[in-house]
């Protein structure tokens, strides 16, 4: 028997498991420990962030030499049994146990998520014990801003918010502006339907994000920063606010951080429900208390951002990768992934798939590995593609990749070539029962509701596109509609003001490209359409 | 309530030192006071932040979460994010429209219930989900009508008489 301190139950206390009853389970575990006494007294019970397999919550991880694992789908009534297992008094609950060799966990490579599910997100002491803020202190004591930026450039890290702009280059652009005020901003306005990576980082390991943001501020010479969080994430806001307060109290934020001459003030700004505020110029307007409408670039925010000053804007996942890059070196990070897409990426896997939750894998991992091996395919699905019809990536700006292309490596360029995009990392699996024109209509409805109204192609064009898609989804389209649909997509793409408008036709274009037969079958006279020999999928009649 | 709310609104503005960039924060807090953003409150915020009323109204009407009308007593939000869509979110919305006798996204509902859609709550692992008066309800069993009816009842979503 090893030291009793090594026995620990880590209870997921992120919003996924909370909604599945994690609160009652945690209370039942504490109560059961008091009642059982004896060996159970030696089991530590700690609330942690996301344990990743969100679809099977509430989850509890057991740390026990030789027989640890994650227990899924627990009820409060099972608390005494779980404690007995933890104390080595029982071998029960075996069918709810998932070992570290379970395919969902075995292929993952946590970098951004390394503390997620391990650290108590409400305790700075726990974060410090895990080494958080260690790199910030080291950088302030030992490195120049240039040296920090050099490591980030060497890492090859690209923006994880969707566009994939090289992070080091962006940092250089801000740092090399004429002397004066600078700002840093963390974009935590995670609005893509199907994306919950940033929420998990904020809820599970907020100190890592603060450390990354502080290192970024030092590297570009900013003394004031904002984290812009969407209002739909109340728990994430609460934990971030608490973490900021703790960091200020320990002298890790504020004036003269960790004994250096570096000052940084960080504030949280809460959104008010506008998807377009994820676009960087709209986000800046919103931070300044205005309507969140984008403006033409240039000037880019790196040159002229908040109140006209150079402003660095990075996504949550990008910044959360920084501490590990500084700790292990840029070359270490750059050795993972593919030539053009370095490092790891966090995906939010959901939809018609057996294992839903957070997945962090090296860039270049195939869709097949993520969806079939890690995700377990469509429940009850058969055949070589596990019942998968398509995988949607990139949210309303992305597209649907058909099952025939599941061997595509997941990186920025490969997804773009297929008419989709990496986006922020949402990955929604669709089974045979999902009709593609209906998927395109679903996204277009979203774009209509979220268009800010500033430019005509997006404001009016998306409405027209939706009306056309209604005809296809309701099987009353004509062949001319198909032509009009494609033309209008091209026009909205080419002439919209911001990235959201330009990308709004992507779900239509990608489903037209890979599932054209479904649009044709939705026409009133499908027999007049040109034959599609290249498609293997069967058309579904009305 | 009214006089007290007016006083508290002034205090809120002072707490933000009257800075125009705090407008969204102030509106959030004013909405917490009243449950929505009444016209006189918008006038007061404009006056005390020294902003044109058009600017305040423009911001209040731009963001989805700001309500310009009094809300219904209870609110039920159906998630229509992509994962919930794949798992039958639209069907769930249709069933709730029928059960509660209100149209989806009708601004004030029927007075006691408002049924609205949300675009994604980031609870995709538990799709399809609802939020009933602020509580997230995960994994609604659309394939089992009896279990679904029991969940609805447990959430207080009683059929309209």
């Amino acid at each position: 028997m090893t030291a009793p301190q090594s026995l620990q139950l880590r209870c997921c206390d992120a919003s996924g498991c909370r909604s599945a009853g994690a609160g009652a389970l945690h209370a039942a575990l504490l109560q059961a420990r008091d009642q059982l006494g004896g060996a159970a007294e030696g089991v530590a019970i700690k609330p942690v962030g996301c344990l990743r397999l969100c679809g099977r919550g509430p989850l509890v991880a057991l740390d026990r030499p030789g027989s640890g694992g994650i227990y899924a789908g627990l009820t409060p009534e099972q608390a005494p049994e779980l404690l007995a297992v933890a104390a080595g008094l029982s071998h029960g609950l075996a069918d709810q146990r998932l070992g570290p060799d379970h395919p969902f966990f075995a292929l993952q490579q946590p970098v951004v998520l390394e503390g997620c599910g391990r650290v108590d997100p409400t305790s700075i002491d726990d974060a410090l014990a895990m080494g958080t803020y260690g790199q910030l202190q080291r950088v302030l004591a030992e490195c120049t801003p240039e040296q920090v930026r050099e490591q980030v450039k060497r890492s090859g890290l690209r923006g994880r918010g969707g566009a994939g702009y090289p992070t080091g280059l962006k940092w250089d652009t801000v740092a090399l502006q004429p002397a004066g005020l600078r700002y840093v901003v963390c974009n935590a306005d995670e609005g893509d339907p199907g994306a919950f990576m940033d929420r998990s980082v904020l809820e599970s390991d907020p100190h890592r994000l603060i450390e990354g943001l502080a290192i970024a501020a030092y590297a570009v010479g900013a003394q004031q920063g904002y984290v812009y969080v969407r209002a739909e994430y109340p728990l994430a806001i609460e934990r971030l606010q608490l973490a900021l307060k703790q960091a200020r109290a320990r002298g890790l934020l504020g004036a003269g951080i960790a004994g250096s001459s570096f000052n940084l003030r960080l504030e949280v700004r809460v959104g008010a429900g506008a998807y377009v505020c994820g676009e960087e110029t709209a986000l800046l307007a919103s931070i300044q208390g205005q309507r969140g409408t984008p403006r033409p670039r240039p000037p880019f925010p790196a040159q002229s951002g908040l109140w006209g000053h150079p402003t660095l804007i990075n996504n949550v996942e990008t910044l959360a990768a920084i501490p590990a890059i500084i700790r292990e070196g840029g070359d270490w990070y750059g050795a993972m992934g593919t030539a053009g897409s370095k490092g790891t990426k966090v995906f939010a896997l959901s939809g018609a798939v057996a294992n839903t939750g957070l997945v962090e894998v090296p860039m270049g991992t195939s869709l097949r590995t993520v969806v079939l091996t890690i995700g377990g395919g469509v429940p009850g699905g058969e055949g070589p593609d596990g019942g998968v019809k398509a995988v949607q990536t990139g949210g309303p700006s992305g597209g649907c990749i058909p099952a025939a292309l599941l061997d595509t490596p997941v990186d920025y360029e490969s997804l773009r070539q297929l008419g989709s995009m990496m986006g922020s990392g949402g990955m929604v699996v669709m089974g045979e029962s999902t009709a593609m024109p209906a998927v395109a209509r679903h996204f277009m409805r979203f774009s209509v509701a979220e268009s800010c109204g500033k430019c005509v192609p997006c404001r009016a064009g998306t409405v027209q596109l939706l009306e056309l898609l209604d005809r296809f989804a309701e099987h009353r389209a004509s062949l001319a509609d198909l032509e009009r649909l494609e033309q209008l997509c091209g026009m909205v793409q080419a002439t919209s003001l911001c990235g959201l408008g330009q990308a709004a036709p992507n779900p239509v274009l990608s489903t037209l490209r890979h599932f054209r037969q479904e649009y044709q079958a939705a026409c009133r006279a499908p027999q007049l359409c040109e034959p599609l020999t290249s498609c293997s999928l069967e058309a579904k009649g009305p | 309530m009214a006089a007290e709310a007016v006083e508290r609104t002034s205090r809120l503005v002072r707490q933000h030192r009257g800075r125009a960039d705090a407008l969204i924060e102030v509106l959030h807090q004013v909405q917490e006071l009243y449950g929505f953003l009444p016209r006189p409150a918008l006038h007061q915020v404009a006056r005390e932040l020294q902003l044109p009323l058009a600017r305040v109204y423009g911001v209040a009407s731009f963001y989805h979460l700001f309500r310009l009308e009094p809300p219904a007593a209870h609110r039920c939000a159906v998630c229509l994010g992509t994962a919930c869509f794949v798992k039958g979110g639209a069907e769930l919305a249709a069933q709730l429209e029928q059960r509660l006798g209100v149209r989806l996204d009708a601004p004030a509902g029927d007075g006691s219930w408002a049924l609205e859609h949300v675009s994604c709550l980031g609870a995709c692992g538990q799709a399809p989900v609802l939020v009933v008066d602020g509580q997230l309800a995960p994994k609604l069993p659309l394939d089992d009508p009896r279990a679904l009816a029991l969940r609805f009842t447990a959430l207080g979503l009683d059929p309209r008489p």
Side-chain angles (χ1 to χ4, degrees):
Chain A
M1 194 74 193
T2 46
Q5 289 92 315
S6 63
L7 299 180
Q8 178 171 257
L9 288 172
R10 287 176 280 128
C11 304
C12 178
D13 192 25
S15 41
C17 282
R18 272 194 174 189
S19 70
L25 176 64
H26 187 226
L29 280 169
L30 293 174
Q31 198 187 8
R33 184 174 61 181
D34 288 346
Q35 281 170 0
L36 285 172
E41 298 270 327
V43 181
I45 298 174
K46 167 170 147 181
V48 293
C50 185
L51 289 169
R52 293 187 225 159
L53 188 51
C54 306
R56 304 220 5 221
L59 303 170
V60 175
L62 167 62
D63 296 325
R64 185 184 158 78
S67 64
I70 287 188
Y71 289 81
L74 294 162
T75 61
E77 292 73 40
Q78 291 174 321
E81 180 70 15
L82 181 61
L83 267 172
V85 173
L89 305 170
S90 157
H91 294 282
L93 300 175
D95 50 349
Q96 278 162 270
R97 177 181 175 275
L98 309 165
D101 52 346
H102 186 279
F104 184 79
F105 301 106
L107 294 168
Q108 295 208 33
Q109 194 168 346
V111 173
V112 169
L113 301 180
E114 65 182 0
C116 183
R118 304 208 149 266
V119 67
D120 176 352
T122 60
S123 163
I124 193 171
D125 289 315
D126 205 34
L128 288 167
M130 298 264 303
T132 314
Y133 295 111
Q135 295 311 308
L136 174 63
Q137 293 175 359
R138 188 179 70 80
V139 157
L140 292 178
E142 297 172 10
C143 304
T144 63
E146 293 75 31
Q147 287 170 324
V148 176
R149 298 203 302 273
E150 178 59 26
Q151 288 305 318
V152 175
K153 273 184 279 184
R154 291 180 81 93
S155 75
L157 177 66
R158 294 170 64 178
R160 297 296 192 238
Y165 190 79
T167 305
L169 211 56
K170 205 186 226 181
W171 288 23
D172 266 358
T173 313
V174 177
L176 301 176
Q177 295 298 311
L181 270 182
R182 285 149 169 57
Y183 291 97
V184 286
V185 171
C186 171
N187 184 347
D189 190 45
E190 182 178 54
D192 280 2
F196 51 95
M197 303 76 51
D198 298 348
R199 193 204 68 195
S200 300
V201 170
L202 290 165
E203 287 181 358
S204 307
D205 200 359
H207 287 291
R208 177 178 304 266
L209 172 68
I210 297 171
E211 184 183 17
L213 189 52
I215 292 173
Y218 175 70
V220 302
Q223 302 202 340
Q224 169 82 43
Y226 297 93
V227 185
Y228 186 91
V229 194
R230 70 194 293 240
E232 290 87 339
Y233 286 177
L235 185 62
I237 295 167
E238 180 190 317
R239 291 200 172 149
L240 182 62
Q241 298 271 28
L242 176 67
L244 286 172
K245 211 166 119 189
Q246 292 170 339
R248 285 182 204 119
R250 298 296 176 94
L252 293 163
L253 283 178
I257 293 175
S260 71
S261 60
F262 175 61
N263 312 320
L264 178 64
R265 276 198 7 205
L266 284 184
E267 281 176 48
V268 176
R269 283 291 161 98
V270 179
Y275 174 70
V276 67
C277 288
E279 198 278 341
E280 56 181 15
T281 59
L283 185 147
L284 295 178
S286 189
I287 288 180
Q288 295 177 90
Q290 297 162 3
R291 289 164 70 95
T293 49
R295 61 158 174 81
R297 299 174 300 182
F300 289 91
Q303 304 158 300
S304 173
L306 281 176
W307 294 284
H309 298 290
T311 302
L312 175 73
I313 307 176
N314 277 143
N315 160 270
V316 172
E317 194 186 330
T318 315
L319 290 168
I322 296 297
I325 290 173
I326 300 297
R327 185 184 69 218
E328 307 288 338
D331 293 334
W332 164 81
Y333 191 82
M336 294 183 282
T338 66
S341 306
K342 307 286 192 194
T344 60
K345 174 81 189 92
V346 185
F347 293 101
L349 189 61
S350 66
V353 64
N355 305 324
T356 56
L358 281 187
V359 175
E360 183 169 7
V361 287
M363 288 276 193
T365 305
S366 75
L367 271 176
R368 183 178 297 280
T369 304
V370 176
V371 172
L372 295 186
T373 312
I374 296 177
V378 178
E382 284 172 12
D385 298 329
V388 174
K389 178 175 180 181
V391 180
Q392 208 279 338
T393 67
S397 308
C400 293
I401 297 164
L405 298 172
L406 275 179
D407 290 312
T408 307
V410 185
D411 58 53
Y412 291 100
E413 280 70 29
S414 304
L415 293 183
R416 200 172 285 274
Q417 271 169 21
L418 295 178
S420 185
M421 67 183 280
M422 178 80 76
S424 51
M427 202 178 263
V428 185
V429 182
M430 297 172 179
E432 290 297 341
S433 61
T434 304
M436 290 299 140
V439 172
R441 177 169 72 159
H442 160 77
F443 282 113
M444 199 52 66
R445 274 192 185 140
F446 178 85
S447 293
V448 168
E450 296 297 340
S451 174
C452 81
K454 181 167 179 173
C455 74
V456 180
C458 173
R459 181 181 70 221
T462 52
V463 173
Q464 297 303 318
L465 283 172
L466 179 59
E467 280 184 14
L468 284 169
L469 288 167
D470 277 337
R471 296 186 197 174
F472 286 96
E474 291 156 13
H475 293 280
R476 54 184 175 82
S478 69
L479 286 173
D481 289 334
L482 195 56
E483 210 171 302
R484 219 171 286 142
L485 187 65
E486 280 184 306
Q487 274 177 355
L488 193 52
C489 280
M491 195 273 283
V492 172
Q493 205 172 33
T495 57
S496 289
L497 168 62
C498 81
L500 302 187
Q502 289 157 17
N506 284 358
V508 186
L509 289 169
S510 86
T511 48
L512 269 173
R513 175 167 161 191
H514 299 296
F515 298 94
R516 195 179 184 87
Q517 68 285 359
E518 290 191 30
Y519 285 88
Q520 293 181 341
C523 292
R524 277 182 306 234
Q527 63 279 10
L528 296 180
C529 296
E530 75 267 34
L532 277 165
T533 45
S534 61
C535 282
S536 56
L537 286 159
E538 243 176 80
K540 287 191 176 59
Chain B
M1 169 68 194
E4 193 193 327
V6 168
E7 174 48 36
R8 283 176 69 180
T9 302
S10 293
R11 215 172 329 149
L12 283 173
V13 173
R14 281 200 303 274
Q15 272 165 13
H16 291 281
R17 278 169 272 133
R19 291 181 51 155
D21 64 279
L23 176 58
I24 293 174
E25 304 285 304
V26 170
L27 290 179
H28 270 303
Q29 289 167 319
V30 171
Q31 179 157 287
E32 237 166 77
L33 276 179
Y34 292 93
F36 72 113
L37 295 172
R39 289 255 168 163
L42 292 178
H43 279 272
Q44 186 191 354
V45 168
R47 216 168 37 240
E48 296 185 7
L49 281 177
Q50 299 185 334
L51 289 170
L53 180 61
R55 162 88 189 278
V56 174
Y57 187 77
V59 168
S61 58
F62 180 84
Y63 293 96
H64 298 313
L65 295 181
F66 292 137
R67 287 187 296 274
L68 299 169
E69 303 292 333
H74 299 285
R75 291 166 62 209
C76 174
V78 191
C79 182
L80 295 181
T82 314
C84 290
F85 167 78
V86 169
K87 296 241 174 162
E91 165 67 19
L92 189 61
Q95 288 203 23
L96 281 165
E97 277 186 319
Q98 188 130 58
R99 189 178 173 95
L100 299 173
V102 286
R103 258 193 16 258
L104 187 68
D105 292 326
D110 67 348
S112 85
W113 276 102
L115 184 64
E116 47 199 50
H117 91 275
V118 285
S119 289
C120 185
L121 294 159
C124 313
Q126 284 82 24
V129 299
L130 293 176
V131 181
V132 181
D133 287 335
Q135 280 298 339
L136 187 72
K139 289 190 179 175
L140 277 303
L142 270 173
D143 48 357
D144 183 347
R146 282 184 54 197
L148 184 63
L150 286 174
R151 287 286 298 280
F152 282 159
T153 308
L155 290 164
L157 296 161
D158 297 318
R160 194 190 170 89

